[in-house]
Amino acid sequence: MKCRHCGNPLHLPFLDLGSAPPSNAYLSAQALLAPETWFPLRVLVCDVCWLVQTEDHAGREALFTEDYAYFSSFSSSWLAHAQAYVQAMHGRLCLSAQSCVVEVAANDGYLLQYVRAAGIPCYGVEPTASTARAARDKGIEIVERFFGVALAEELVAAGRQADLTVANNVLAHVPDINDFVAGFARLLKPQGVATFEFPHLLRMVQGCQFDTAYHEHYSYLSLTAVSRIFATNGLAVFDVEELTTHGGSLRVLAQRIDSGHRPVEPTVEALLGAERDAGMLTAELYGQFQLQPSRIMRELLSFLISQADAGRKVAAYGAAAKGNTLLNFAGVRPHLLPYVVDKNPAKQGKFLPGSRIPVVDEAHLRADRPDYVLILPWNLKSEVIAQLSYVREWGGKFVTAVPVLEEFG
């Protein structure tokens, strides 16, 4: 395999999780009667541009299907994050009724609803029919296509250039990262700004966040790699912010190389320096990461087995992609974890890919009264504990597995 950005042959390993089905390929009861498709799940490092990337096995059309089940609006903390972003960009960029905001990977309209409410013209690009439909139900215009240079040039020809483009948690999800980034350079107006948010690779390493690896994540991103990819494809980074979302993310602000005029903020060099100091431009940092998932797997299995031996019940909350990575790597099945609760109706009544654990609604949790609730989307731990605070009424506790097994009363 060659690097998706620079074409360098890849030899440096980062993570090997064996094999797994696509993490968002939830199963119907009928699908349980048929075999599943599993793909190897290996992550490699380019030692030239330092882009960390999943080995190629599945195309985007196989992963982002018309019944894609991830809907952003089911997280109240993520909605608050999106609203705060819109308020910040509205002021910083002086957006108005004469501006145009475009979100790529607009999902169910979780962010553009706030842009629209502010009276700023906007539209979204979203390839999955299920989420595009939900966004249209909010009154948001959606272009139902995968994004890249070809679509960007069509939009420009139609007079639909953007003052601001938004790309939250999608840069890691694209197989042709060069074409994707180059599309933003085409779509922006000469003085336009593009913002990208993505989980920070450094936080993934430091936080043992191996469960953020799955086939839909083609890339695992540092500012070092992103800056190089952008520069090759017509964009220049001029600011960066560190965020707490998704276990530690970056918000990168970029402009067109040929026409942008904004000065580069000191934050850019500071973070590039922090990545260098952490060893992100050396093979050594990546070589030891494989030890972490093995440790976490053993801790989780020991916990589940000990609770089963003691006659205590453990349920899970959050039918999240990261949870599927964890459960499939650990080999957890319904005899150890009988169900997972999720408030997304699109997932309820289905089964997790690989583990085939049933997804149920919250009423099931209240009736069953488990001794422990394993929170699979650990990045939403505080939100979930607040939502399920009634679990404490029957003496139930919460537990997370990443980065270490931890109980919460």
Side-chain angles (χ1 to χ4, degrees):
M1 179 178 167
K2 294 185 177 180
C3 175
R4 289 193 180 88
H5 169 56
C6 70
N8 177 59
L10 300 179
H11 305 291
L12 180 59
F14 177 56
L15 183 62
D16 188 343
L17 297 180
S19 62
S23 60
N24 281 299
Y26 297 90
L27 303 170
S28 65
Q30 183 65 28
L32 295 181
L33 304 176
E36 289 180 78
T37 301
W38 289 52
F39 301 98
L41 184 50
R42 296 179 65 233
V43 183
L44 306 171
V45 185
C46 177
D47 56 8
V48 173
C49 70
W50 300 106
L51 177 62
V52 177
Q53 49 208 286
T54 303
E55 200 171 48
D56 278 326
H57 288 288
R60 65 185 184 181
E61 288 80 8
L63 301 176
F64 302 103
T65 58
E66 64 179 16
D67 59 350
Y68 190 64
Y70 179 78
F71 289 75
S72 298
S73 292
F74 283 102
S75 169
S76 58
S77 61
W78 185 244
L79 287 176
H81 174 78
Q83 186 174 24
Y85 166 88
V86 171
Q87 291 171 346
M89 291 299 112
H90 192 178
R92 180 170 182 174
L93 304 181
C94 300
L95 299 173
S96 69
Q98 284 69 53
S99 305
C100 178
V101 174
V102 181
E103 183 178 17
V104 174
N107 198 263
D108 60 3
Y110 74 99
L111 184 143
L112 289 181
Q113 63 184 336
Y114 300 116
V115 177
R116 187 169 178 267
I120 304 167
C122 62
Y123 66 93
V125 177
E126 173 54 56
T128 63
S130 54
T131 59
R133 186 163 50 249
R136 292 189 184 107
D137 288 344
K138 294 182 174 76
I140 297 163
E141 180 188 354
I142 296 292
V143 178
E144 198 170 315
R145 298 264 298 277
F146 283 104
F147 184 76
V149 170
L151 178 55
E153 290 181 343
E154 288 180 33
L155 294 169
V156 171
R160 312 209 68 186
Q161 279 185 292
D163 296 276
L164 170 65
T165 58
V166 187
N168 286 347
N169 300 307
V170 63
L171 187 58
H173 289 75
V174 293
D176 190 343
I177 198 166
N178 290 325
D179 178 69
F180 185 77
V181 171
F184 287 88
R186 304 286 206 288
L187 187 58
L188 282 179
K189 293 179 182 178
Q191 304 303 324
V193 170
T195 72
F196 300 80
E197 291 184 21
F198 49 84
H200 191 191
L201 175 61
L202 180 59
R203 303 301 168 219
M204 178 183 181
V205 173
Q206 293 174 334
C208 312
Q209 299 167 5
F210 82 95
D211 55 343
T212 60
Y214 37 93
H215 300 102
E216 291 94 325
H217 279 176
Y218 290 92
S219 302
Y220 305 82
L221 300 161
S222 62
L223 182 61
T224 298
V226 165
S227 295
R228 295 175 179 181
I229 294 166
F230 282 17
T232 302
N233 292 288
L235 292 179
V237 175
F238 68 85
D239 199 3
V240 61
E241 303 173 43
E242 294 188 82
L243 308 172
T244 60
T245 52
H246 297 282
S249 298
L250 298 181
R251 176 184 292 158
V252 169
L253 288 80
Q255 59 192 334
R256 285 172 46 171
I257 285 178
D258 62 346
S259 57
H261 67 279
R262 297 173 184 271
V264 178
E265 300 293 337
T267 52
V268 176
E269 183 51 45
L271 190 53
L272 290 172
E275 291 184 349
R276 286 194 301 270
D277 293 345
M280 298 195 75
L281 281 70
T282 66
E284 289 74 20
L285 178 77
Y286 304 97
Q288 297 299 312
F289 190 68
Q290 183 67 41
L291 299 174
Q292 301 304 329
S294 299
R295 172 188 58 77
I296 292 168
M297 173 188 69
R298 292 192 301 271
E299 292 176 354
L300 176 60
L301 285 175
S302 295
F303 170 78
L304 293 175
I305 292 169
S306 67
Q307 300 309 315
D309 288 345
R312 289 187 284 267
K313 294 186 290 187
V314 181
Y317 185 90
K322 56 170 53 71
N324 291 329
T325 293
L326 171 64
L327 298 177
N328 284 320
F329 179 64
V332 176
R333 297 296 181 263
H335 67 284
L336 287 177
L337 196 64
Y339 61 90
V340 57
V341 177
D342 200 282
K343 65 179 181 180
N344 182 351
K347 296 180 181 180
Q348 293 166 5
K350 294 187 176 180
F351 299 80
L352 300 185
S355 68
R356 301 193 166 201
I357 295 171
V359 183
V360 301
D361 62 18
E362 205 171 311
H364 192 100
L365 183 75
R366 290 179 181 271
D368 189 50
R369 299 165 67 95
D371 299 285
Y372 286 95
V373 176
L374 171 64
I375 301 173
L376 295 173
W378 44 260
N379 54 302
L380 301 177
K381 176 182 65 180
S382 298
E383 177 182 336
V384 172
I385 290 175
Q387 177 187 331
L388 305 182
S389 60
Y390 56 83
V391 168
R392 297 191 179 99
E393 295 174 6
W394 61 74
K397 298 180 180 180
F398 300 94
V399 62
T400 54
V402 179
V404 296
L405 196 82
E406 188 173 5
E407 293 184 21
F408 305 88

